[in-house]
Amino acid sequence: MTQSHNCKNELNDVELRATPARLAVMKLLETSSKPIDVQTIISFLEKKDIKADPATVFRIVNMFTEKGLVKPIQLHEGKFRYELANIADHHHLMCNICGDIEDISDCNIDALEKDIKKKKQFTVTSHSLEFFGLCSNCQK
Amino acid sequence: MTQSHNCKNELNDVELRATPARLAVMKLLETSSKPIDVQTIISFLEKKDIKADPATVFRIVNMFTEKGLVKPIQLHEGKFRYELANIADHHHLMCNICGDIEDISDCNIDALEKDIKKKKQFTVTSHSLEFFGLCSNCQK
DNA sequence: TGACAAATGCAATTAAATTGCATATACTAA
DNA sequence: TTAGTATATGCAATTTAATTGCATTTGTCA
């Protein structure tokens, strides 16, 4: 039986057991348009009546990161946010005023990474590119 | 009387008083080749027999950031590093193995920022671009 | 269904960073 | 040089993010 999309399979693929909390976190990440912090995950789980201790949520995002399911993001907030790792390379625009986060793609950073390899003999495995400024609303 | 370079003047320029701790932090930042975290600043001050409470050091880097003297940097460590703001646009290479930090310049990100303005009506005021991977030593 | 490794809950702990308030100090003006 | 004052600091308490140890629970597979 073919199946369109299934969080359980994704967890199986990386040899993680499909617990209610993990499945819910995966679903939240899949439906969210912006990187999510641990507090937001905790609130989401509470609303869904899935009880999960903060320690568990931290363990979940760390495990997901280790297994390559998610990518940690830092936006100068003093905490981490997380987003799915298997989405196309993209970056974020964060508004200094309202804090809203938008995605942006097409940064063509591959060329730069090749240049780094040549110049510095440094092999890039990942990068983070974030922009801060004023969103269209807050410029008014 | 012309003066080559003077931390005190830089502080005066942004209307901050030239205290021993602030002067020492400025000097440390000016001589350092990589962004520095608060713990490193504290150790440096201790070695120089300049006593400064951690709370004071946090206040100093926050004040420097607010006044535009320094720029906070995040390298997925769960803490901030700081570097002088008035140096040419550049980015960092952080080694996943040894944690060493190298600088890299010539990223030509201006074009991308103009593109963002056009596409998203988002005005970029700052950006952060960090690369993670393997330095030349750790590839062996 | 039963066994067992893996995941969780709970409590304690660590580390980064912030805050309130009393005291000390850098700067300004006299 | 000194006195007055706004500013900066020290200290202690607190907040928030994140981690850890250990007993208990649960998902998975035979």
Side-chain angles (χ1 to χ4, degrees):
Chain A
M1 170 194 174
T2 45
Q3 187 138 7
S4 60
H5 179 75
N6 191 321
C7 294
K8 194 171 174 183
N9 293 342
E10 298 179 44
L11 293 174
N12 286 341
D13 288 349
V14 294
E15 291 173 322
L16 290 181
R17 293 182 176 179
T19 67
R22 283 179 179 168
L23 290 168
V25 172
M26 278 302 289
K27 243 175 211 159
L28 174 59
L29 288 164
E30 282 175 0
T31 57
S32 171
S33 65
K34 50 182 89 171
I36 293 181
D37 62 40
V38 167
Q39 290 313 315
T40 304
I41 294 175
I42 291 170
S43 311
F44 173 80
L45 293 177
E46 272 170 8
K47 250 188 295 179
K48 288 247 168 185
D49 276 322
I50 298 166
K51 74 165 181 176
D53 193 80
T56 300
V57 179
F58 278 106
R59 277 189 276 232
I60 288 174
V61 292
N62 283 343
M63 192 57 80
F64 283 9
T65 303
E66 207 174 290
K67 296 292 187 177
L69 293 178
V70 306
K71 224 175 91 174
I73 304 290
Q74 283 184 302
L75 295 171
H76 288 201
E77 300 169 295
K79 69 184 172 189
F80 285 93
R81 287 172 179 267
Y82 300 88
E83 65 179 12
L84 290 183
N86 66 357
I87 44 182
D89 184 40
H90 68 284
H91 308 285
H92 305 101
L93 310 177
M94 177 173 241
C95 179
N96 296 330
I97 309 286
C98 68
D100 192 44
I101 302 168
E102 253 188 290
D103 278 4
I104 180 101
S105 49
D106 298 327
C107 72
N108 188 31
I109 223 155
D110 296 356
L112 193 48
E113 292 186 359
K114 275 178 196 152
D115 200 46
I116 289 170
K117 179 71 188 174
K118 203 184 289 177
K119 271 190 195 155
K120 301 271 190 176
Q121 286 82 49
F122 185 103
T123 304
V124 174
T125 56
S126 68
H127 64 256
S128 84
L129 173 55
E130 320 295 348
F131 296 93
F132 305 92
L134 298 170
C135 72
S136 50
N137 272 332
C138 292
Q139 284 174 45
K140 295 165 192 168
Chain B
M1 169 194 175
T2 46
Q3 185 137 7
S4 60
H5 179 76
N6 192 320
C7 295
K8 194 171 174 183
N9 293 342
E10 299 180 42
L11 292 174
N12 286 342
D13 288 348
V14 294
E15 292 174 321
L16 291 180
R17 292 183 177 178
T19 66
R22 283 177 179 170
L23 289 168
V25 173
M26 278 302 289
K27 243 175 212 158
L28 174 58
L29 288 164
E30 281 174 359
T31 57
S32 171
S33 63
K34 48 182 90 172
I36 293 181
D37 61 40
V38 167
Q39 290 311 315
T40 304
I41 295 175
I42 291 170
S43 311
F44 173 81
L45 294 177
E46 272 171 8
K47 250 188 294 180
K48 288 247 165 182
D49 276 323
I50 298 166
K51 75 166 180 177
D53 193 81
T56 300
V57 179
F58 278 106
R59 276 188 277 232
I60 287 174
V61 293
N62 284 343
M63 193 57 81
F64 282 9
T65 303
E66 208 175 289
K67 296 293 187 178
L69 294 178
V70 306
K71 224 176 89 173
I73 304 289
Q74 283 184 301
L75 295 172
H76 289 200
E77 300 169 295
K79 68 184 173 189
F80 285 92
R81 290 173 177 267
Y82 300 87
E83 65 179 12
L84 290 182
N86 66 357
I87 45 183
D89 184 38
H90 69 284
H91 309 284
H92 305 101
L93 310 178
M94 177 173 243
C95 180
N96 296 330
I97 308 287
C98 69
D100 192 45
I101 302 167
E102 254 188 287
D103 277 4
I104 180 98
S105 49
D106 298 328
C107 71
N108 187 33
I109 222 153
D110 297 357
L112 194 49
E113 291 186 358
K114 275 177 196 155
D115 201 45
I116 289 170
K117 180 71 187 175
K118 203 183 290 177
K119 272 190 195 155
K120 301 271 191 177
Q121 286 83 50
F122 185 103
T123 305
V124 174
T125 56
S126 69
H127 64 256
S128 86
L129 173 54
E130 321 296 349
F131 295 93
F132 305 92
L134 298 169
C135 73
S136 50
N137 272 332
C138 291
Q139 284 175 46
K140 295 165 193 167

